[in-house]
Each structure stands twice: as structure tokens, then as C-alpha cells.
Amino acid sequence: MAARIQLREKVDVQSLELKDQVVSINRVTKVVKGGKNLSFTALVVLGDGHGYVGYGMGKAREVSSAIKKGVEAAKKNVVRVPITDKGATIPHAVTGRFGSGCVLLKPASEGTGVIAGGAVRAVITAAGIQNILTKSLGSTTAHNVVKATVDALLRLKQPERVARLRGKSVAEVVGPEEKKAEATPATPAAPPVS
């Protein structure tokens, strides 16, 4: 399987007001000669609510230490997510994968809200997306779902960038969907047949 190379801009986390949210805490044990060593893992999502989001995992003997380590790991993974000005949603539909986890993200009209469950909701709200439709397919493990959601957000493309790469205007790239909506006027209801 070929590794996918991600070219990401370096984000300065010091200038952002990041809020953390714990997605899952798991108690894990390691069997050693003298008995069992108990520790905790914490999966943490970090975001500023304006297009920056990251995730991290921490592991320690105490829950608070594990969360603290998770926050530090998440600060190293913060990425920028393209959000549309109109409707605070994503520019286009996208699918993200990690392991056996698969997450489908679709843009939604204003007033829809965040239609997502559990781990996907944590990532979406941390990024500041307010209107979106999601479906988690495959694995339901919180780790895989969070990583698949971030992968989907990384696959998003800005319409301006796509237009520049294709040598077209933004209206030509975004246009067909809007033209379809304008071209199909509401048809009057047919009279009832007696």
C-alpha cells in the first residue's frame, strides 16, 4: 500500500485559542511478572472553532496525566480545514479512511446543524463546522473514526485553488450546481384526479 504524502502548512498553535475535548478514556493493563500494571489512555481532540483542528493520544498511570499528554500530542497535529463563508459548512462531499474506519462528510444547507455521532461530532465541532451531514462506515472504534474524520477534512480542497489549477474562474468550478438549482423552478402541484 503506497503511503499518501500530505503537504501541510506549519500551524503556529501559540497564536490560537484552542479548546480540548476528550473523546474517549480507556483503562488498559499490561501483564508482568509481578502482576498487572494498570494505566489509562485518552484520545483528545483540539480545535479553535474557526477552522483549526488536531487530535492526539496520551497514556499514563493517571487519567489527568493521560489527558495532558493527549493535549500536547494534539498540538503537534493541528491542521487547517477549509470552511465556506456561506453556511459554515465544507466546500464539497468527501470520504476519509483510516484502517477499517471510513467517514463520509457532506455539506449541508444553513440551519441543518451538525448531524454526526460521537467521535465524528467531536472533530467537526472542534473545527468550527456548523452545518454538515456525516455517516460513519466500517469500524466504530473511536481512534479509527477520529483519524478517518481528520483524513476526510485534509482531503478537502478550496474552490479558489481548484479553479487556479484548472485555469478557470471560481464560477466555472462551482457554477454547475448553482445553475441547476436556478434552472429548476418549483413546479406547481398537479390537480387531483377525480
Side-chain angles (χ1 to χ4, degrees), residues 8 11 13 16 18-19 44-56 74-81 83 120-129 146 149-151 153-154:
R8 302 190 306 218
V11 178
V13 293
L16 301 173
L18 298 169
K19 297 180 198 113
V44 181
V45 172
L46 203 66
D48 71 337
H50 299 290
Y52 288 95
V53 69
Y55 69 91
K75 284 181 181 176
K76 295 174 186 171
N77 287 331
V78 173
V79 293
R80 178 91 173 104
V81 176
I83 299 174
V120 180
R121 178 178 285 273
V123 177
I124 297 299
T125 54
I129 300 169
V146 166
T149 306
V150 172
D151 179 57
L153 294 174
L154 286 173

PDB file of all heavy atoms in Angstrom, residues 8 11 13 16 18-19 44-56 74-81 83 120-129 146 149-151 153-154:
ATOM      1  N   ARG A   8       1.404  19.772   4.443  1.00  0.00           N
ATOM      2  CA  ARG A   8       0.603  20.617   5.309  1.00  0.00           C
ATOM      3  C   ARG A   8       1.418  21.829   5.698  1.00  0.00           C
ATOM      4  O   ARG A   8       2.624  21.741   5.897  1.00  0.00           O
ATOM      5  CB  ARG A   8       0.179  19.873   6.574  1.00  0.00           C
ATOM      6  CG  ARG A   8      -0.594  18.630   6.319  1.00  0.00           C
ATOM      7  CD  ARG A   8      -1.188  18.079   7.577  1.00  0.00           C
ATOM      8  NE  ARG A   8      -0.214  17.869   8.627  1.00  0.00           N
ATOM      9  CZ  ARG A   8      -0.237  16.845   9.442  1.00  0.00           C
ATOM     10  NH1 ARG A   8      -1.158  15.933   9.323  1.00  0.00           N
ATOM     11  NH2 ARG A   8       0.655  16.716  10.404  1.00  0.00           N
ATOM     12  N   VAL A  11       1.384  25.075  11.436  1.00  0.00           N
ATOM     13  CA  VAL A  11       0.441  25.923  12.161  1.00  0.00           C
ATOM     14  C   VAL A  11       1.079  26.366  13.469  1.00  0.00           C
ATOM     15  O   VAL A  11       1.612  25.540  14.219  1.00  0.00           O
ATOM     16  CB  VAL A  11      -0.875  25.155  12.431  1.00  0.00           C
ATOM     17  CG1 VAL A  11      -1.837  26.012  13.223  1.00  0.00           C
ATOM     18  CG2 VAL A  11      -1.511  24.703  11.133  1.00  0.00           C
ATOM     19  N   VAL A  13       0.503  27.124  16.937  1.00  0.00           N
ATOM     20  CA  VAL A  13      -0.562  26.891  17.910  1.00  0.00           C
ATOM     21  C   VAL A  13      -0.557  27.918  19.046  1.00  0.00           C
ATOM     22  O   VAL A  13      -1.555  28.041  19.753  1.00  0.00           O
ATOM     23  CB  VAL A  13      -0.505  25.460  18.504  1.00  0.00           C
ATOM     24  CG1 VAL A  13      -0.816  24.431  17.445  1.00  0.00           C
ATOM     25  CG2 VAL A  13       0.830  25.181  19.148  1.00  0.00           C
ATOM     26  N   LEU A  16      -3.288  30.585  18.586  1.00  0.00           N
ATOM     27  CA  LEU A  16      -4.673  30.119  18.546  1.00  0.00           C
ATOM     28  C   LEU A  16      -5.217  29.902  19.959  1.00  0.00           C
ATOM     29  O   LEU A  16      -4.475  29.519  20.861  1.00  0.00           O
ATOM     30  CB  LEU A  16      -4.769  28.799  17.776  1.00  0.00           C
ATOM     31  CG  LEU A  16      -4.289  28.804  16.328  1.00  0.00           C
ATOM     32  CD1 LEU A  16      -4.299  27.393  15.784  1.00  0.00           C
ATOM     33  CD2 LEU A  16      -5.148  29.701  15.474  1.00  0.00           C
ATOM     34  N   LEU A  18      -7.078  27.411  21.598  1.00  0.00           N
ATOM     35  CA  LEU A  18      -7.520  26.034  21.400  1.00  0.00           C
ATOM     36  C   LEU A  18      -8.298  25.511  22.613  1.00  0.00           C
ATOM     37  O   LEU A  18      -7.903  25.742  23.754  1.00  0.00           O
ATOM     38  CB  LEU A  18      -6.315  25.131  21.136  1.00  0.00           C
ATOM     39  CG  LEU A  18      -5.508  25.461  19.879  1.00  0.00           C
ATOM     40  CD1 LEU A  18      -4.212  24.690  19.864  1.00  0.00           C
ATOM     41  CD2 LEU A  18      -6.307  25.165  18.632  1.00  0.00           C
ATOM     42  N   LYS A  19      -9.390  24.805  22.312  1.00  0.00           N
ATOM     43  CA  LYS A  19     -10.189  24.152  23.353  1.00  0.00           C
ATOM     44  C   LYS A  19     -10.077  22.654  23.138  1.00  0.00           C
ATOM     45  O   LYS A  19     -10.222  22.182  22.010  1.00  0.00           O
ATOM     46  CB  LYS A  19     -11.646  24.587  23.263  1.00  0.00           C
ATOM     47  CG  LYS A  19     -11.868  26.057  23.511  1.00  0.00           C
ATOM     48  CD  LYS A  19     -13.343  26.411  23.396  1.00  0.00           C
ATOM     49  CE  LYS A  19     -13.471  27.903  23.218  1.00  0.00           C
ATOM     50  NZ  LYS A  19     -13.984  28.282  21.922  1.00  0.00           N
ATOM     51  N   VAL A  44      -7.831  12.726  22.628  1.00  0.00           N
ATOM     52  CA  VAL A  44      -8.223  14.126  22.802  1.00  0.00           C
ATOM     53  C   VAL A  44      -8.286  14.816  21.446  1.00  0.00           C
ATOM     54  O   VAL A  44      -7.404  14.625  20.603  1.00  0.00           O
ATOM     55  CB  VAL A  44      -7.212  14.866  23.718  1.00  0.00           C
ATOM     56  CG1 VAL A  44      -7.614  16.307  23.921  1.00  0.00           C
ATOM     57  CG2 VAL A  44      -7.087  14.160  25.053  1.00  0.00           C
ATOM     58  N   VAL A  45      -9.334  15.623  21.242  1.00  0.00           N
ATOM     59  CA  VAL A  45      -9.472  16.444  20.039  1.00  0.00           C
ATOM     60  C   VAL A  45      -9.331  17.900  20.467  1.00  0.00           C
ATOM     61  O   VAL A  45      -9.869  18.313  21.486  1.00  0.00           O
ATOM     62  CB  VAL A  45     -10.833  16.202  19.352  1.00  0.00           C
ATOM     63  CG1 VAL A  45     -11.065  17.193  18.233  1.00  0.00           C
ATOM     64  CG2 VAL A  45     -10.904  14.794  18.825  1.00  0.00           C
ATOM     65  N   LEU A  46      -8.598  18.664  19.661  1.00  0.00           N
ATOM     66  CA  LEU A  46      -8.280  20.051  19.974  1.00  0.00           C
ATOM     67  C   LEU A  46      -8.721  20.926  18.814  1.00  0.00           C
ATOM     68  O   LEU A  46      -8.528  20.549  17.658  1.00  0.00           O
ATOM     69  CB  LEU A  46      -6.760  20.138  20.144  1.00  0.00           C
ATOM     70  CG  LEU A  46      -6.120  21.231  20.941  1.00  0.00           C
ATOM     71  CD1 LEU A  46      -6.503  21.083  22.392  1.00  0.00           C
ATOM     72  CD2 LEU A  46      -4.620  21.127  20.819  1.00  0.00           C
ATOM     73  N   GLY A  47      -9.333  22.074  19.066  1.00  0.00           N
ATOM     74  CA  GLY A  47      -9.732  22.967  17.978  1.00  0.00           C
ATOM     75  C   GLY A  47     -10.021  24.356  18.475  1.00  0.00           C
ATOM     76  O   GLY A  47     -10.281  24.562  19.665  1.00  0.00           O
ATOM     77  N   ASP A  48      -9.985  25.325  17.546  1.00  0.00           N
ATOM     78  CA  ASP A  48     -10.271  26.717  17.923  1.00  0.00           C
ATOM     79  C   ASP A  48     -11.665  27.151  17.502  1.00  0.00           C
ATOM     80  O   ASP A  48     -12.094  28.252  17.816  1.00  0.00           O
ATOM     81  CB  ASP A  48      -9.216  27.658  17.332  1.00  0.00           C
ATOM     82  CG  ASP A  48      -9.335  27.821  15.828  1.00  0.00           C
ATOM     83  OD1 ASP A  48      -9.914  26.931  15.176  1.00  0.00           O
ATOM     84  OD2 ASP A  48      -8.854  28.842  15.308  1.00  0.00           O
ATOM     85  N   GLY A  49     -12.399  26.304  16.779  1.00  0.00           N
ATOM     86  CA  GLY A  49     -13.750  26.657  16.336  1.00  0.00           C
ATOM     87  C   GLY A  49     -13.774  27.553  15.120  1.00  0.00           C
ATOM     88  O   GLY A  49     -14.833  28.018  14.702  1.00  0.00           O
ATOM     89  N   HIS A  50     -12.596  27.805  14.511  1.00  0.00           N
ATOM     90  CA  HIS A  50     -12.516  28.664  13.322  1.00  0.00           C
ATOM     91  C   HIS A  50     -11.677  28.026  12.222  1.00  0.00           C
ATOM     92  O   HIS A  50     -10.990  28.726  11.483  1.00  0.00           O
ATOM     93  CB  HIS A  50     -11.944  30.030  13.680  1.00  0.00           C
ATOM     94  CG  HIS A  50     -12.781  30.783  14.667  1.00  0.00           C
ATOM     95  ND1 HIS A  50     -14.012  31.315  14.355  1.00  0.00           N
ATOM     96  CD2 HIS A  50     -12.578  31.065  15.971  1.00  0.00           C
ATOM     97  CE1 HIS A  50     -14.522  31.904  15.417  1.00  0.00           C
ATOM     98  NE2 HIS A  50     -13.672  31.759  16.424  1.00  0.00           N
ATOM     99  N   GLY A  51     -11.695  26.690  12.132  1.00  0.00           N
ATOM    100  CA  GLY A  51     -11.017  26.025  11.022  1.00  0.00           C
ATOM    101  C   GLY A  51      -9.728  25.302  11.375  1.00  0.00           C
ATOM    102  O   GLY A  51      -9.083  24.746  10.501  1.00  0.00           O
ATOM    103  N   TYR A  52      -9.327  25.303  12.625  1.00  0.00           N
ATOM    104  CA  TYR A  52      -8.134  24.570  13.030  1.00  0.00           C
ATOM    105  C   TYR A  52      -8.541  23.421  13.952  1.00  0.00           C
ATOM    106  O   TYR A  52      -9.301  23.619  14.890  1.00  0.00           O
ATOM    107  CB  TYR A  52      -7.139  25.482  13.755  1.00  0.00           C
ATOM    108  CG  TYR A  52      -6.461  26.463  12.842  1.00  0.00           C
ATOM    109  CD1 TYR A  52      -6.948  27.751  12.693  1.00  0.00           C
ATOM    110  CD2 TYR A  52      -5.338  26.094  12.111  1.00  0.00           C
ATOM    111  CE1 TYR A  52      -6.337  28.656  11.849  1.00  0.00           C
ATOM    112  CE2 TYR A  52      -4.716  26.989  11.254  1.00  0.00           C
ATOM    113  CZ  TYR A  52      -5.219  28.262  11.127  1.00  0.00           C
ATOM    114  OH  TYR A  52      -4.615  29.154  10.284  1.00  0.00           O
ATOM    115  N   VAL A  53      -7.998  22.218  13.672  1.00  0.00           N
ATOM    116  CA  VAL A  53      -8.351  21.042  14.472  1.00  0.00           C
ATOM    117  C   VAL A  53      -7.160  20.081  14.504  1.00  0.00           C
ATOM    118  O   VAL A  53      -6.353  20.039  13.576  1.00  0.00           O
ATOM    119  CB  VAL A  53      -9.621  20.349  13.907  1.00  0.00           C
ATOM    120  CG1 VAL A  53      -9.354  19.703  12.566  1.00  0.00           C
ATOM    121  CG2 VAL A  53     -10.187  19.347  14.876  1.00  0.00           C
ATOM    122  N   GLY A  54      -7.053  19.329  15.605  1.00  0.00           N
ATOM    123  CA  GLY A  54      -5.999  18.331  15.747  1.00  0.00           C
ATOM    124  C   GLY A  54      -6.430  17.270  16.738  1.00  0.00           C
ATOM    125  O   GLY A  54      -7.366  17.473  17.512  1.00  0.00           O
ATOM    126  N   TYR A  55      -5.749  16.141  16.724  1.00  0.00           N
ATOM    127  CA  TYR A  55      -6.067  15.066  17.666  1.00  0.00           C
ATOM    128  C   TYR A  55      -4.771  14.487  18.219  1.00  0.00           C
ATOM    129  O   TYR A  55      -3.710  14.601  17.612  1.00  0.00           O
ATOM    130  CB  TYR A  55      -6.900  13.963  17.000  1.00  0.00           C
ATOM    131  CG  TYR A  55      -6.139  13.167  15.969  1.00  0.00           C
ATOM    132  CD1 TYR A  55      -5.459  12.006  16.317  1.00  0.00           C
ATOM    133  CD2 TYR A  55      -6.093  13.584  14.650  1.00  0.00           C
ATOM    134  CE1 TYR A  55      -4.738  11.301  15.377  1.00  0.00           C
ATOM    135  CE2 TYR A  55      -5.382  12.876  13.700  1.00  0.00           C
ATOM    136  CZ  TYR A  55      -4.704  11.736  14.072  1.00  0.00           C
ATOM    137  OH  TYR A  55      -3.989  11.032  13.143  1.00  0.00           O
ATOM    138  N   GLY A  56      -4.870  13.859  19.403  1.00  0.00           N
ATOM    139  CA  GLY A  56      -3.700  13.237  19.999  1.00  0.00           C
ATOM    140  C   GLY A  56      -4.103  12.195  21.016  1.00  0.00           C
ATOM    141  O   GLY A  56      -5.230  12.189  21.513  1.00  0.00           O
ATOM    142  N   ALA A  74      -1.854  16.453  20.553  1.00  0.00           N
ATOM    143  CA  ALA A  74      -2.808  17.065  19.626  1.00  0.00           C
ATOM    144  C   ALA A  74      -2.282  18.401  19.096  1.00  0.00           C
ATOM    145  O   ALA A  74      -2.527  18.752  17.940  1.00  0.00           O
ATOM    146  CB  ALA A  74      -4.150  17.262  20.314  1.00  0.00           C
ATOM    147  N   LYS A  75      -1.559  19.150  19.936  1.00  0.00           N
ATOM    148  CA  LYS A  75      -1.000  20.435  19.500  1.00  0.00           C
ATOM    149  C   LYS A  75       0.003  20.259  18.367  1.00  0.00           C
ATOM    150  O   LYS A  75       0.185  21.151  17.547  1.00  0.00           O
ATOM    151  CB  LYS A  75      -0.331  21.148  20.675  1.00  0.00           C
ATOM    152  CG  LYS A  75      -1.319  21.776  21.624  1.00  0.00           C
ATOM    153  CD  LYS A  75      -0.621  22.492  22.756  1.00  0.00           C
ATOM    154  CE  LYS A  75      -1.640  23.103  23.712  1.00  0.00           C
ATOM    155  NZ  LYS A  75      -0.981  23.718  24.881  1.00  0.00           N
ATOM    156  N   LYS A  76       0.631  19.100  18.295  1.00  0.00           N
ATOM    157  CA  LYS A  76       1.599  18.814  17.227  1.00  0.00           C
ATOM    158  C   LYS A  76       0.919  18.406  15.929  1.00  0.00           C
ATOM    159  O   LYS A  76       1.551  18.366  14.880  1.00  0.00           O
ATOM    160  CB  LYS A  76       2.561  17.713  17.673  1.00  0.00           C
ATOM    161  CG  LYS A  76       3.434  18.128  18.835  1.00  0.00           C
ATOM    162  CD  LYS A  76       4.266  16.967  19.327  1.00  0.00           C
ATOM    163  CE  LYS A  76       5.022  17.367  20.583  1.00  0.00           C
ATOM    164  NZ  LYS A  76       5.681  16.221  21.220  1.00  0.00           N
ATOM    165  N   ASN A  77      -0.379  18.047  16.005  1.00  0.00           N
ATOM    166  CA  ASN A  77      -1.117  17.568  14.830  1.00  0.00           C
ATOM    167  C   ASN A  77      -2.171  18.549  14.334  1.00  0.00           C
ATOM    168  O   ASN A  77      -3.083  18.144  13.613  1.00  0.00           O
ATOM    169  CB  ASN A  77      -1.818  16.240  15.158  1.00  0.00           C
ATOM    170  CG  ASN A  77      -0.858  15.089  15.243  1.00  0.00           C
ATOM    171  OD1 ASN A  77       0.171  15.102  14.579  1.00  0.00           O
ATOM    172  ND2 ASN A  77      -1.174  14.114  16.056  1.00  0.00           N
ATOM    173  N   VAL A  78      -2.111  19.811  14.716  1.00  0.00           N
ATOM    174  CA  VAL A  78      -3.153  20.767  14.325  1.00  0.00           C
ATOM    175  C   VAL A  78      -3.041  21.071  12.830  1.00  0.00           C
ATOM    176  O   VAL A  78      -1.954  21.323  12.314  1.00  0.00           O
ATOM    177  CB  VAL A  78      -3.047  22.067  15.156  1.00  0.00           C
ATOM    178  CG1 VAL A  78      -4.008  23.125  14.648  1.00  0.00           C
ATOM    179  CG2 VAL A  78      -3.321  21.777  16.617  1.00  0.00           C
ATOM    180  N   VAL A  79      -4.198  21.004  12.138  1.00  0.00           N
ATOM    181  CA  VAL A  79      -4.252  21.278  10.698  1.00  0.00           C
ATOM    182  C   VAL A  79      -5.339  22.302  10.406  1.00  0.00           C
ATOM    183  O   VAL A  79      -6.248  22.510  11.199  1.00  0.00           O
ATOM    184  CB  VAL A  79      -4.530  19.989   9.881  1.00  0.00           C
ATOM    185  CG1 VAL A  79      -3.360  19.029   9.966  1.00  0.00           C
ATOM    186  CG2 VAL A  79      -5.800  19.313  10.329  1.00  0.00           C
ATOM    187  N   ARG A  80      -5.251  22.941   9.233  1.00  0.00           N
ATOM    188  CA  ARG A  80      -6.236  23.929   8.781  1.00  0.00           C
ATOM    189  C   ARG A  80      -7.286  23.219   7.947  1.00  0.00           C
ATOM    190  O   ARG A  80      -6.969  22.399   7.092  1.00  0.00           O
ATOM    191  CB  ARG A  80      -5.533  24.993   7.937  1.00  0.00           C
ATOM    192  CG  ARG A  80      -6.452  26.047   7.384  1.00  0.00           C
ATOM    193  CD  ARG A  80      -6.553  27.220   8.339  1.00  0.00           C
ATOM    194  NE  ARG A  80      -7.295  28.314   7.750  1.00  0.00           N
ATOM    195  CZ  ARG A  80      -8.551  28.591   8.077  1.00  0.00           C
ATOM    196  NH1 ARG A  80      -9.190  27.868   8.952  1.00  0.00           N
ATOM    197  NH2 ARG A  80      -9.164  29.614   7.532  1.00  0.00           N
ATOM    198  N   VAL A  81      -8.557  23.558   8.190  1.00  0.00           N
ATOM    199  CA  VAL A  81      -9.684  22.958   7.462  1.00  0.00           C
ATOM    200  C   VAL A  81     -10.401  24.057   6.686  1.00  0.00           C
ATOM    201  O   VAL A  81     -10.757  25.080   7.269  1.00  0.00           O
ATOM    202  CB  VAL A  81     -10.673  22.300   8.457  1.00  0.00           C
ATOM    203  CG1 VAL A  81     -11.879  21.754   7.732  1.00  0.00           C
ATOM    204  CG2 VAL A  81      -9.984  21.209   9.245  1.00  0.00           C
ATOM    205  N   ILE A  83     -13.371  26.012   5.398  1.00  0.00           N
ATOM    206  CA  ILE A  83     -14.793  26.155   5.732  1.00  0.00           C
ATOM    207  C   ILE A  83     -15.361  27.266   4.858  1.00  0.00           C
ATOM    208  O   ILE A  83     -14.743  28.319   4.724  1.00  0.00           O
ATOM    209  CB  ILE A  83     -14.981  26.500   7.222  1.00  0.00           C
ATOM    210  CG1 ILE A  83     -14.409  25.386   8.105  1.00  0.00           C
ATOM    211  CG2 ILE A  83     -16.446  26.705   7.552  1.00  0.00           C
ATOM    212  CD1 ILE A  83     -14.412  25.705   9.579  1.00  0.00           C
ATOM    213  N   VAL A 120     -16.993  11.588  15.539  1.00  0.00           N
ATOM    214  CA  VAL A 120     -17.045  12.489  14.381  1.00  0.00           C
ATOM    215  C   VAL A 120     -17.518  13.867  14.830  1.00  0.00           C
ATOM    216  O   VAL A 120     -16.953  14.892  14.441  1.00  0.00           O
ATOM    217  CB  VAL A 120     -17.985  11.943  13.275  1.00  0.00           C
ATOM    218  CG1 VAL A 120     -18.026  12.885  12.095  1.00  0.00           C
ATOM    219  CG2 VAL A 120     -17.539  10.568  12.832  1.00  0.00           C
ATOM    220  N   ARG A 121     -18.530  13.912  15.676  1.00  0.00           N
ATOM    221  CA  ARG A 121     -19.063  15.181  16.186  1.00  0.00           C
ATOM    222  C   ARG A 121     -17.995  15.980  16.927  1.00  0.00           C
ATOM    223  O   ARG A 121     -17.900  17.191  16.790  1.00  0.00           O
ATOM    224  CB  ARG A 121     -20.256  14.922  17.109  1.00  0.00           C
ATOM    225  CG  ARG A 121     -20.839  16.183  17.724  1.00  0.00           C
ATOM    226  CD  ARG A 121     -22.041  15.864  18.595  1.00  0.00           C
ATOM    227  NE  ARG A 121     -23.213  15.541  17.817  1.00  0.00           N
ATOM    228  CZ  ARG A 121     -24.080  16.454  17.367  1.00  0.00           C
ATOM    229  NH1 ARG A 121     -23.916  17.723  17.639  1.00  0.00           N
ATOM    230  NH2 ARG A 121     -25.128  16.083  16.654  1.00  0.00           N
ATOM    231  N   ALA A 122     -17.165  15.296  17.717  1.00  0.00           N
ATOM    232  CA  ALA A 122     -16.108  15.968  18.469  1.00  0.00           C
ATOM    233  C   ALA A 122     -15.141  16.699  17.526  1.00  0.00           C
ATOM    234  O   ALA A 122     -14.780  17.854  17.768  1.00  0.00           O
ATOM    235  CB  ALA A 122     -15.354  14.973  19.335  1.00  0.00           C
ATOM    236  N   VAL A 123     -14.746  16.036  16.442  1.00  0.00           N
ATOM    237  CA  VAL A 123     -13.808  16.636  15.483  1.00  0.00           C
ATOM    238  C   VAL A 123     -14.465  17.791  14.736  1.00  0.00           C
ATOM    239  O   VAL A 123     -13.879  18.865  14.580  1.00  0.00           O
ATOM    240  CB  VAL A 123     -13.280  15.576  14.485  1.00  0.00           C
ATOM    241  CG1 VAL A 123     -12.369  16.217  13.448  1.00  0.00           C
ATOM    242  CG2 VAL A 123     -12.540  14.474  15.226  1.00  0.00           C
ATOM    243  N   ILE A 124     -15.705  17.583  14.283  1.00  0.00           N
ATOM    244  CA  ILE A 124     -16.411  18.591  13.491  1.00  0.00           C
ATOM    245  C   ILE A 124     -16.665  19.859  14.309  1.00  0.00           C
ATOM    246  O   ILE A 124     -16.447  20.968  13.833  1.00  0.00           O
ATOM    247  CB  ILE A 124     -17.747  18.008  12.951  1.00  0.00           C
ATOM    248  CG1 ILE A 124     -17.479  16.833  11.994  1.00  0.00           C
ATOM    249  CG2 ILE A 124     -18.589  19.069  12.280  1.00  0.00           C
ATOM    250  CD1 ILE A 124     -16.684  17.159  10.766  1.00  0.00           C
ATOM    251  N   THR A 125     -17.132  19.711  15.538  1.00  0.00           N
ATOM    252  CA  THR A 125     -17.410  20.893  16.372  1.00  0.00           C
ATOM    253  C   THR A 125     -16.126  21.599  16.771  1.00  0.00           C
ATOM    254  O   THR A 125     -16.101  22.828  16.874  1.00  0.00           O
ATOM    255  CB  THR A 125     -18.219  20.519  17.632  1.00  0.00           C
ATOM    256  OG1 THR A 125     -17.535  19.483  18.335  1.00  0.00           O
ATOM    257  CG2 THR A 125     -19.619  20.080  17.284  1.00  0.00           C
ATOM    258  N   ALA A 126     -15.052  20.844  16.997  1.00  0.00           N
ATOM    259  CA  ALA A 126     -13.764  21.466  17.331  1.00  0.00           C
ATOM    260  C   ALA A 126     -13.240  22.287  16.161  1.00  0.00           C
ATOM    261  O   ALA A 126     -12.611  23.338  16.355  1.00  0.00           O
ATOM    262  CB  ALA A 126     -12.747  20.402  17.728  1.00  0.00           C
ATOM    263  N   ALA A 127     -13.525  21.839  14.926  1.00  0.00           N
ATOM    264  CA  ALA A 127     -13.078  22.571  13.737  1.00  0.00           C
ATOM    265  C   ALA A 127     -13.925  23.813  13.483  1.00  0.00           C
ATOM    266  O   ALA A 127     -13.502  24.715  12.765  1.00  0.00           O
ATOM    267  CB  ALA A 127     -13.121  21.661  12.514  1.00  0.00           C
ATOM    268  N   GLY A 128     -15.131  23.863  14.043  1.00  0.00           N
ATOM    269  CA  GLY A 128     -15.990  25.034  13.862  1.00  0.00           C
ATOM    270  C   GLY A 128     -16.974  24.909  12.720  1.00  0.00           C
ATOM    271  O   GLY A 128     -17.556  25.899  12.289  1.00  0.00           O
ATOM    272  N   ILE A 129     -17.180  23.695  12.216  1.00  0.00           N
ATOM    273  CA  ILE A 129     -18.163  23.473  11.154  1.00  0.00           C
ATOM    274  C   ILE A 129     -19.534  23.388  11.808  1.00  0.00           C
ATOM    275  O   ILE A 129     -19.728  22.621  12.743  1.00  0.00           O
ATOM    276  CB  ILE A 129     -17.830  22.190  10.366  1.00  0.00           C
ATOM    277  CG1 ILE A 129     -16.441  22.316   9.738  1.00  0.00           C
ATOM    278  CG2 ILE A 129     -18.881  21.917   9.305  1.00  0.00           C
ATOM    279  CD1 ILE A 129     -15.899  21.030   9.169  1.00  0.00           C
ATOM    280  N   VAL A 146     -11.913   9.002  14.522  1.00  0.00           N
ATOM    281  CA  VAL A 146     -11.309  10.337  14.612  1.00  0.00           C
ATOM    282  C   VAL A 146     -10.265  10.522  13.515  1.00  0.00           C
ATOM    283  O   VAL A 146     -10.251  11.553  12.827  1.00  0.00           O
ATOM    284  CB  VAL A 146     -10.685  10.565  16.009  1.00  0.00           C
ATOM    285  CG1 VAL A 146      -9.769  11.775  16.008  1.00  0.00           C
ATOM    286  CG2 VAL A 146     -11.772  10.740  17.054  1.00  0.00           C
ATOM    287  N   THR A 149     -11.931  10.883  10.146  1.00  0.00           N
ATOM    288  CA  THR A 149     -12.568  12.194  10.000  1.00  0.00           C
ATOM    289  C   THR A 149     -11.532  13.264   9.671  1.00  0.00           C
ATOM    290  O   THR A 149     -11.746  14.095   8.781  1.00  0.00           O
ATOM    291  CB  THR A 149     -13.314  12.582  11.299  1.00  0.00           C
ATOM    292  OG1 THR A 149     -14.212  11.528  11.634  1.00  0.00           O
ATOM    293  CG2 THR A 149     -14.087  13.869  11.130  1.00  0.00           C
ATOM    294  N   VAL A 150     -10.402  13.243  10.356  1.00  0.00           N
ATOM    295  CA  VAL A 150      -9.333  14.211  10.070  1.00  0.00           C
ATOM    296  C   VAL A 150      -8.782  13.978   8.661  1.00  0.00           C
ATOM    297  O   VAL A 150      -8.493  14.933   7.941  1.00  0.00           O
ATOM    298  CB  VAL A 150      -8.220  14.142  11.141  1.00  0.00           C
ATOM    299  CG1 VAL A 150      -7.025  14.994  10.747  1.00  0.00           C
ATOM    300  CG2 VAL A 150      -8.762  14.589  12.490  1.00  0.00           C
ATOM    301  N   ASP A 151      -8.675  12.717   8.239  1.00  0.00           N
ATOM    302  CA  ASP A 151      -8.230  12.413   6.877  1.00  0.00           C
ATOM    303  C   ASP A 151      -9.188  13.001   5.849  1.00  0.00           C
ATOM    304  O   ASP A 151      -8.773  13.571   4.848  1.00  0.00           O
ATOM    305  CB  ASP A 151      -8.128  10.894   6.683  1.00  0.00           C
ATOM    306  CG  ASP A 151      -7.704  10.513   5.275  1.00  0.00           C
ATOM    307  OD1 ASP A 151      -6.625  10.977   4.838  1.00  0.00           O
ATOM    308  OD2 ASP A 151      -8.450   9.772   4.601  1.00  0.00           O
ATOM    309  N   LEU A 153     -11.155  15.618   6.299  1.00  0.00           N
ATOM    310  CA  LEU A 153     -11.004  17.077   6.328  1.00  0.00           C
ATOM    311  C   LEU A 153      -9.736  17.519   5.595  1.00  0.00           C
ATOM    312  O   LEU A 153      -9.713  18.590   4.982  1.00  0.00           O
ATOM    313  CB  LEU A 153     -10.993  17.580   7.775  1.00  0.00           C
ATOM    314  CG  LEU A 153     -12.305  17.411   8.548  1.00  0.00           C
ATOM    315  CD1 LEU A 153     -12.120  17.799  10.004  1.00  0.00           C
ATOM    316  CD2 LEU A 153     -13.427  18.219   7.918  1.00  0.00           C
ATOM    317  N   LEU A 154      -8.685  16.699   5.648  1.00  0.00           N
ATOM    318  CA  LEU A 154      -7.449  17.026   4.922  1.00  0.00           C
ATOM    319  C   LEU A 154      -7.618  16.891   3.412  1.00  0.00           C
ATOM    320  O   LEU A 154      -6.901  17.531   2.643  1.00  0.00           O
ATOM    321  CB  LEU A 154      -6.309  16.111   5.380  1.00  0.00           C
ATOM    322  CG  LEU A 154      -5.725  16.410   6.752  1.00  0.00           C
ATOM    323  CD1 LEU A 154      -4.737  15.327   7.149  1.00  0.00           C
ATOM    324  CD2 LEU A 154      -5.046  17.764   6.759  1.00  0.00           C
TER     325      LEU A 154
END
